[in-house]
Amino acid sequence: MFKKIYFVMTMLMLASVILAACTTTASPTASSPTASSNTTTDQKAAAANVTLRVLIHQNPPMVAFMEAFNQSFHKKYPNITIDMSVVNASDLSTVTQTRLTANDVDVVDMFGFANAAQSYMKKVDAPNWQQLIDAGLLMDLTGQPFVQKYDAAAVKDAGTYNGKVYEINLGRVSYSGIYYNKDMFTANNVKVPTVWSELVAACQTFKAANISCMTAGGKDGWPIFVGAYGLLGSIYPDQAALVQGLWTGTIKWNDAKSLSMWERMQVYTSEMMESGASGIAGDAAPGRFASGAVAMFPGGTWYAPAIDAAQPAFKWGYIPFPGSDNAEDNKYLFGKYDQGWAVAAGTPNKDAALLYLTEFSDSANYQAFVDAVGFIPTQSTATLNTTIGKEVAPYLVNFRVGYEQYWIAPKGAGQFANPWASYFKPFGTDDDPKTLADKVQADLQSGLDAVK
Amino acid sequence: MTTYHFGRGRARWVPYLLLLPGIFFYVLIALGPSMATAVYSFTDATGLKGAPVHWVGLDNYKEFLFMGQASKDNFAALERTLVFCFFVTTIQFGLGLFIAVLINQNLKGRNIFRTLYFMPVILGAVIQGLIWSLFLFPIGGPMARVLEFFGTRSEFLGGQPSEAFAWVIAIQIWANMGTTMIIFLSGLQTIPTELYEAVRIDGANSWQVFQNVTWPLLTPSVNTNLTLNIIGSLQAWQLFLVLLGYRNGTQVLGYLIYATGFGQTSGSVTSSFRQGYAAAASIILFLLVLVIGMAVQTILRRREVRIMG
């Protein structure tokens, strides 16, 4: 009996040892950071074999560019292999948190710093990028030569915290415009709308011609309300002031001005959006627009490369969402600082990570990047070569950071405390603008009262 | 004199020694994190290595239960969790039993049917979600075509929250029914055929056979399935994430906990990592599972004693 038991236990122990031996470190070929202060980053990175772990978010043209860039980087530095992971934009912060905490990533893609707590906001938590820095998980990039290549304003606004640089931001995007099908507009004798009434009339014309007016990636939820940010912006052009007004009570979601926004949002979701848009994924919407199934596509500038990739000969234009009946109110483009690079503070591959960012920031590489993804560049030497670049160029003087980049909901606010078009049918349950406006304000007020 | 299966003397301790690895992993993977969650629920932990953690007492619980409209939304999610649990448990249980009885018959190709019914179980939540997203695609998807044939249409998962919620219930049942069926099937195969022959000789019809032989003797399988279905559906969150994302009017408690704890966002809107708060919500969910689970266990155990003796 004992022999049998000992045999079983010995086998268990052996299995444990084998399993333990199979466990690999996160970066088996990674080198330890070298301590020599005299050697350059390039020399140190070139000294040993390194697997550099890079995390980015899903954006098809960006992923395609990064794959090509990684290949050329590896060709130039054969000892550095890039292990790139791609996650959905909605999951980026989750994966960043877990992988940084596990010290399982070297270079991370982070959206530009936003949603910082303002003095008039009470009892709000720090945004996740700030939490990451406060926890010591992001590397201080201040003074790195490649940082100097980027606009000082972009470095300050989108990547600086407490006077130190933690992110280099790679470009701005607008999300408050509408793509339109030039041939379809011409064929149906429709003028490019500059005011709300013209937009309504255009949609009616297309509808009469049995053409769906607009599409959006409703399956992901946020593309529906992001597409309507132009509506919000045409009514509240100063979005930072809007956020302050909502917190201090000088602006309400159910006052007369806001009510006109809700009424138009209902028209946008219920009448302008095509049936079935709720099932279209964000990544698939550009392809649907490029296929000629719809006349317009409210969406971010980052979709432009995907439209071109789907139908290279397709002729399209991009205009600010004409949400107001006054053309002067419709001249703004609202947006945000999009992707940026940050480095894990605990990376064992510091030199390779910095070399990666240096190489990426090279003027030629950066120009190729903005050409590929359609970002509004944050390097002053880069030019707007792309179709989307040329389309937005006339409005860049009126580029403003959007509401969502400022807003932090007070604790206790209900889930409807946002100006989201997706609350309306068919995406949500509401079909009366006044009732919805009251509900949204009540949800917000509940939070404001709770943190008094 | 006491006799030990493994012998006398030091050999008495061998069973405990053999249990040690299991206990070690249970403590490491299940009990330890559970205890840590309970402690975390009284802190403002972010889950980030190196971030300071402060003791906040009952603040997280107060915020979850009593703070403004958000707490009412939490209760709505709690109610939705119970509704989800009720429908998933009852339908999955009934359907699993029905199919198990059906394919326990001497049918041609029954192994193929068993495989087909069990197949969804081996797919991950992401694959399950992808399959159903395509199936329910509202522009020309298979289900949309069927509705079109009847002159109607639906937005399915992207439409009204109640409809989207109902679809998740259906998909959860589809995804897990195979497990219920297999447990019932194994239970059915332990029932001696002599009993069936005996009651048939006594003139019992099919329903009487099921009522008086199959159902009572399936008691252990019934208990196992009910417990697994209830606990599994109360804790469900993956399909909500994959199929619906963060949508008002559809969240259940399990998904809310995930979204809060890991800073789940909408697009690029940043939110905070609030694992302390999420831990408090987890403890509330745990208490819910505990109360319901224990009540069901007590009822089932009494029933088992009554039937099986």
Side-chain angles (χ1 to χ4, degrees):
Chain A
M1 173 60 79
F2 272 125
K3 276 184 183 173
K4 280 181 186 172
I5 292 165
Y6 289 138
F7 176 74
V8 170
M9 290 182 70
T10 310
M11 292 310 288
L12 278 172
M13 280 177 65
L14 270 175
S16 309
V17 170
I18 292 165
L19 283 172
C22 287
T23 310
T24 54
T25 55
S27 179
T29 55
S31 65
S32 304
T34 50
S36 169
S37 57
N38 296 327
T39 29
T40 64
T41 296
D42 291 31
Q43 287 167 333
K44 281 193 282 184
N49 287 331
V50 169
T51 298
L52 192 68
R53 299 153 301 178
V54 178
L55 173 67
I56 65 168
H57 76 274
Q58 179 62 267
N59 175 1
M62 182 171 77
V63 174
F65 174 85
M66 290 308 303
E67 282 168 351
F69 172 77
N70 290 342
Q71 275 184 8
S72 62
F73 182 82
H74 179 61
K75 207 172 170 185
K76 191 169 177 183
Y77 302 99
N79 64 310
I80 304 176
T81 305
I82 309 297
D83 175 10
M84 185 173 78
S85 314
V86 183
V87 295
N88 193 296
S90 303
D91 298 324
L92 182 63
S93 65
T94 307
V95 180
T96 301
Q97 176 207 18
T98 49
R99 291 194 65 179
L100 278 175
T101 299
N103 203 17
D104 179 45
V105 69
D106 304 303
V107 178
V108 291
D109 154 13
M110 293 188 77
F111 292 109
F113 294 172
N115 309 93
Q118 306 297 322
S119 56
Y120 54 80
M121 296 175 173
K122 292 176 189 166
K123 297 181 184 172
V124 293
D125 291 314
N128 52 28
W129 57 265
Q130 193 180 318
Q131 291 177 318
L132 292 170
I133 295 170
D134 289 338
L137 293 171
L138 297 185
M139 185 185 289
D140 178 6
L141 302 174
T142 313
Q144 292 294 335
F146 57 79
V147 175
Q148 313 307 320
K149 285 185 166 280
Y150 294 86
D151 295 340
V155 171
K156 181 176 174 288
D157 294 343
T160 302
Y161 173 59
N162 282 346
K164 291 179 180 171
V165 180
Y166 292 93
E167 174 189 319
I168 46 163
N169 190 268
L170 306 179
R172 290 177 293 170
V173 291
S174 162
Y175 42 59
S176 68
I178 302 181
Y179 293 90
Y180 66 95
N181 182 329
K182 284 186 172 175
D183 288 343
M184 203 175 268
F185 268 64
T186 309
N188 290 275
N189 205 21
V190 176
K191 181 178 164 275
V192 177
T194 55
V195 291
W196 174 253
S197 57
E198 288 175 0
L199 181 65
V200 173
C203 281
Q204 283 167 350
T205 305
F206 288 121
K207 214 170 179 180
N210 213 18
I211 299 167
S212 297
C213 187
M214 295 180 183
T215 195
K219 184 172 183 287
D220 294 347
W222 59 267
I224 293 291
F225 64 78
V226 162
Y229 265 121
L231 246 173
L232 173 69
S234 65
I235 291 168
Y236 294 106
D238 187 344
Q239 309 248 285
L242 167 65
V243 170
Q244 184 167 4
L246 290 168
W247 263 89
T248 54
T250 56
I251 296 173
K252 294 191 186 297
W253 283 130
N254 59 350
D255 60 22
K257 203 171 172 183
S258 298
L259 195 55
S260 67
M261 177 194 75
W262 291 115
E263 284 164 353
R264 288 174 185 191
M265 277 190 181
Q266 189 195 17
V267 174
Y268 162 78
T269 53
S270 308
E271 295 175 26
M272 293 179 173
M273 206 50 71
E274 69 166 329
S275 297
S278 66
I280 299 172
D283 291 346
R288 181 150 179 85
F289 169 63
S291 74
V294 294
M296 286 179 262
F297 167 42
T301 51
W302 60 86
Y303 287 128
I307 294 170
D308 286 337
Q311 294 284 345
F314 181 59
K315 289 178 190 157
W316 53 267
Y318 190 78
I319 51 165
F321 195 110
S324 167
D325 275 325
N326 179 0
E328 277 300 296
D329 296 336
N330 299 328
K331 64 184 180 184
Y332 300 101
L333 276 180
F334 296 89
K336 62 174 181 180
Y337 285 98
D338 201 276
Q339 184 197 353
W341 291 128
V343 179
T347 172
N349 306 316
K350 179 182 173 184
D351 300 325
L354 295 177
L355 182 61
Y356 188 75
L357 266 54
T358 303
E359 190 68 19
F360 186 94
S361 304
D362 169 77
S363 301
N365 286 335
Y366 180 77
Q367 182 67 58
F369 171 75
V370 291
D371 287 348
V373 301
F375 282 0
I376 301 160
T378 46
Q379 280 195 8
S380 55
T381 53
T383 51
L384 286 166
N385 296 334
T386 56
T387 311
I388 189 67
K390 288 168 187 161
E391 289 288 320
V392 300
Y395 308 106
L396 283 184
V397 68
N398 293 321
F399 184 91
R400 295 186 172 188
V401 172
Y403 157 89
E404 63 156 14
Q405 303 295 297
Y406 294 112
W407 178 248
I408 302 179
K411 281 181 186 173
Q415 58 187 351
F416 282 91
N418 279 295
W420 290 352
S422 51
Y423 297 152
F424 282 112
K425 283 180 179 174
F427 308 100
T429 52
D430 291 275
D431 53 8
D432 178 40
K434 177 77 176 79
T435 310
L436 176 62
D438 289 341
K439 181 163 73 173
V440 171
Q441 181 57 35
D443 267 25
L444 171 61
Q445 196 59 49
S446 175
L448 293 172
D449 293 342
V451 296
K452 260 181 187 168
Chain B
M1 195 174 96
T2 311
T3 55
Y4 296 97
H5 183 71
F6 279 82
R8 291 177 169 193
R10 278 186 300 174
R12 285 166 53 185
W13 301 105
V14 169
Y16 299 102
L17 203 63
L18 290 173
L19 278 173
L20 265 181
I23 291 170
F24 171 75
F25 282 113
Y26 174 70
V27 171
L28 188 75
I29 295 164
L31 190 64
S34 302
M35 301 301 285
T37 301
V39 175
Y40 267 130
S41 71
F42 299 104
T43 71
D44 63 355
T46 58
L48 298 172
K49 190 172 73 177
V53 178
H54 304 105
W55 188 262
V56 296
L58 291 170
D59 282 1
N60 290 327
Y61 290 94
K62 284 179 191 166
E63 184 183 337
F64 187 90
L65 296 170
F66 308 115
M67 195 169 189
Q69 180 62 36
S71 60
K72 289 178 190 163
D73 293 342
N74 291 338
F75 279 106
L78 201 66
E79 191 183 320
R80 222 172 282 124
T81 309
L82 293 174
V83 169
F84 183 78
C85 172
F86 174 77
F87 282 108
V88 168
T89 302
T90 49
I91 299 172
Q92 189 175 312
F93 181 90
L95 209 59
L97 177 61
F98 176 73
I99 292 173
V101 170
L102 213 61
I103 60 174
N104 193 42
Q105 310 299 314
N106 199 13
L107 299 170
K108 261 189 181 175
R110 63 179 182 175
N111 285 338
I112 295 171
F113 286 114
R114 283 176 191 176
T115 309
L116 284 177
Y117 287 124
F118 188 74
M119 201 171 277
V121 175
I122 61 172
L123 303 172
V126 175
I127 305 295
Q128 291 162 352
L130 186 67
I131 289 171
W132 280 90
S133 294
L134 293 172
F135 188 65
L136 299 174
F137 189 60
I139 305 174
M143 200 63 184
R145 295 265 185 214
V146 172
L147 292 189
E148 205 177 292
F149 182 75
F150 292 103
T152 183
R153 64 174 310 282
S154 169
E155 297 282 330
F156 301 112
L157 297 167
Q160 296 298 290
S162 53
E163 186 189 347
F165 187 71
W167 277 112
V168 182
I169 290 175
I171 297 165
Q172 170 87 6
I173 292 165
W174 169 83
N176 297 295
M177 198 273 296
T179 308
T180 307
M181 179 201 75
I182 285 291
I183 293 170
F184 274 131
L185 201 57
S186 61
L188 285 169
Q189 289 175 357
T190 61
I191 300 173
T193 49
E194 294 84 0
L195 287 176
Y196 287 114
E197 287 163 8
V199 289
R200 287 286 184 198
I201 289 166
D202 287 343
N205 60 28
S206 295
W207 173 245
Q208 286 168 326
V209 170
F210 178 80
Q211 200 181 12
N212 298 303
V213 178
T214 308
W215 181 244
L217 292 177
L218 269 182
T219 297
S221 305
V222 167
N223 294 358
T224 308
N225 267 328
L226 271 179
T227 308
L228 288 178
N229 288 356
I230 288 169
I231 293 173
S233 55
L234 284 173
Q235 294 178 333
W237 65 276
Q238 288 163 305
L239 281 175
F240 285 91
L241 170 69
V242 176
L243 293 166
L244 305 181
Y246 197 84
R247 283 190 59 199
N248 290 357
T250 62
Q251 300 105 332
V252 288
L253 208 47
Y255 180 57
L256 268 189
I257 292 165
Y258 168 78
T260 314
F262 292 96
Q264 178 77 11
T265 61
S266 210
S268 64
V269 179
T270 54
S271 56
S272 306
F273 301 121
R274 304 192 65 203
Q275 293 208 345
Y277 179 73
S282 300
I283 295 298
I284 290 166
L285 178 62
F286 164 72
L287 291 173
L288 183 76
V289 174
L290 187 73
V291 168
I292 294 175
M294 284 185 73
V296 169
Q297 278 289 316
T298 308
I299 293 165
L300 292 177
R301 201 167 296 146
R302 281 181 190 162
R303 180 176 172 272
E304 190 171 349
V305 170
R306 200 175 64 239
I307 293 171
M308 313 290 281

